[in-house]
């Protein structure tokens, strides 16, 4: 089994995709080296490790790169299956359901997130993206009920695949909350998810990884928007 010396994450501290990988490494208590990337001046290691997308996160395991956050999370869960809690369910059907909802999060919530913060050219476009996020979160409220079966997380008693995929966005949701003057995960509209958000933020594995400094995030947002190379798809 590889120890911490064998694991390195190339990341950006605000990235929802990086955060989910770090939460899973924490859940499994796997030590790793973390290298912060500058998206305006990417390292040769990043460009060489992920030449197709040139994006973070990259997990280097004994020097070999694994790319794409959902794939990285599943890789960690498979390689360290006996270490710490399982992130994906053991039952194949439940695993398929978890993968379905994780894909839904990145498709619907992820595109609304880009719309709310990066792509919108005016307030009207921001609010259109907020409406798309609201609709996706309402659907996820139903998914939470189905997957959690009354337990605290999508994954049941502990944080699972859908939890880390959605939870990675919570730092940016703090920024959106400030911009729109209410909680995006609205306790009135989606009470189960609102309670889930509190639990996820309070979990040990997310401490120091899910950002909570909204001012610092807003500063980062300005830097990112000013980067001519940053073109969110
Ligand atoms: N689908 C990818 C998305 C990764 C991604 O978009 N990462 C952003 C940071 S949040 C990035 O590195 N973008 C490269 C760039 O801006 O040049 C994943 O899940 O890993």
């Amino acid at each position: 089994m590889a120890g911490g010396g064998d694991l390195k994450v190339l990341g950006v501290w605000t990235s929802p995709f990086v955060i989910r990988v770090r939460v899973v490494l924490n859940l499994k208590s796997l030590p790793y080296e973390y290298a912060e990337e500058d998206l305006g001046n990417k390292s040769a290691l990043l460009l060489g490790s992920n030449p197709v997308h040139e994006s973070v996160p990259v997990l280097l395991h004994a020097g070999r790169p694994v790319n794409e956050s959902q794939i990285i999370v599943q890789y960690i869960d498979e390689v360290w299956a006996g270490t710490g809690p399982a992130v994906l369910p053991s039952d194949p059907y439940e695993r398929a359901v978890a993968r379905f909802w994780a894909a839904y999060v990145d498709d619907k919530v992820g595109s609304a997130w880009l719309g709310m913060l990066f792509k919108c050219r005016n307030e009207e476009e921001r609010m259109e993206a907020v409406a798309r996020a609201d609709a996706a979160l309402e659907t996820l409220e139903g998914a939470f009920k189905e997957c959690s079966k009354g337990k605290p997380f999508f994954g049941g008693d502990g944080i699972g695949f859908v939890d880390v995929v959605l939870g990675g966005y919570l730092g940016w949701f703090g920024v959106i909350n400030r911009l729109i003057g209410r909680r995006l995960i609205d306790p009135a509209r989606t009470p189960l998810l609102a309670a889930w958000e509190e639990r996820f933020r309070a979990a040990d594995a997310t401490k120091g990884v899910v950002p909570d400094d909204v001012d610092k995030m807003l500063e980062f947002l300005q830097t990112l928007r000013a980067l001519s190379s940053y073109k969110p798809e």
Side-chain angles (χ1 to χ4, degrees):
M1 180 179 302
D6 285 356
L7 287 174
K8 180 167 181 166
V9 174
L10 309 182
V12 167
W13 66 279
T14 59
S15 167
F17 313 105
V18 173
I19 291 165
R20 59 182 62 152
V21 168
R22 300 185 76 186
V23 170
V24 168
L25 289 167
N26 288 350
L27 272 176
K28 289 189 170 277
S29 302
L30 293 168
Y32 65 97
E33 187 190 337
Y34 177 72
E36 182 73 17
E37 284 287 333
D38 174 356
L39 290 182
N41 183 23
K42 294 173 188 170
S43 71
L45 184 58
L46 172 59
L47 297 174
S49 304
N50 190 356
V52 174
H53 296 303
E54 301 184 348
S55 62
V56 291
V58 170
L59 176 76
L60 291 151
H61 179 200
R64 291 196 303 177
V66 185
N67 296 319
E68 282 297 314
S69 61
Q70 288 203 21
I71 293 171
I72 297 171
V73 166
Q74 296 183 64
Y75 176 80
I76 295 168
D77 203 34
E78 284 171 17
V79 174
W80 288 276
T83 306
V87 176
L88 278 122
S90 57
D91 175 74
Y93 181 76
E94 284 178 21
R95 208 155 57 228
V97 171
R99 286 179 173 137
F100 172 87
W101 286 116
Y104 179 88
V105 169
D106 272 351
D107 181 16
K108 303 294 184 193
V109 178
S111 68
W113 163 71
L114 287 175
M116 289 184 285
L117 290 172
F118 301 101
K119 286 180 165 179
C120 57
R121 286 162 302 182
N122 50 50
E123 212 39 37
E124 195 184 337
E125 287 185 5
R126 190 194 309 279
M127 292 321 286
E128 182 275 325
V130 169
R132 284 193 283 121
D134 283 341
L137 290 166
E138 277 173 31
T139 301
L140 284 167
E141 176 84 354
F144 181 83
K145 202 169 182 181
E146 184 188 313
C147 296
S148 68
K149 300 185 184 77
K151 293 184 170 168
F153 295 103
F154 282 93
D157 286 318
I159 288 176
F161 193 44
V162 187
D163 297 286
V164 294
V165 169
L166 182 59
Y169 291 96
L170 289 178
W172 283 116
F173 283 9
V175 172
I176 294 160
N177 294 349
R178 179 165 314 164
L179 294 174
I180 66 175
R182 68 165 169 90
R183 271 177 75 181
L184 186 66
I185 300 189
D186 185 347
R189 214 189 289 252
T190 53
L192 297 177
L193 279 190
W196 164 86
E197 175 178 356
E198 306 295 330
R199 284 192 291 272
F200 188 85
R201 284 180 183 278
D204 282 346
T206 72
K207 294 270 171 60
V209 176
V210 175
D212 56 7
D213 186 336
V214 173
D215 292 319
K216 205 169 151 211
M217 298 278 290
L218 277 165
E219 238 173 73
F220 185 89
L221 178 63
Q222 298 316 328
T223 320
L224 209 54
R225 283 181 146 174
L227 271 186
S228 54
S229 59
Y230 188 70
K231 290 192 182 51
E233 284 160 20

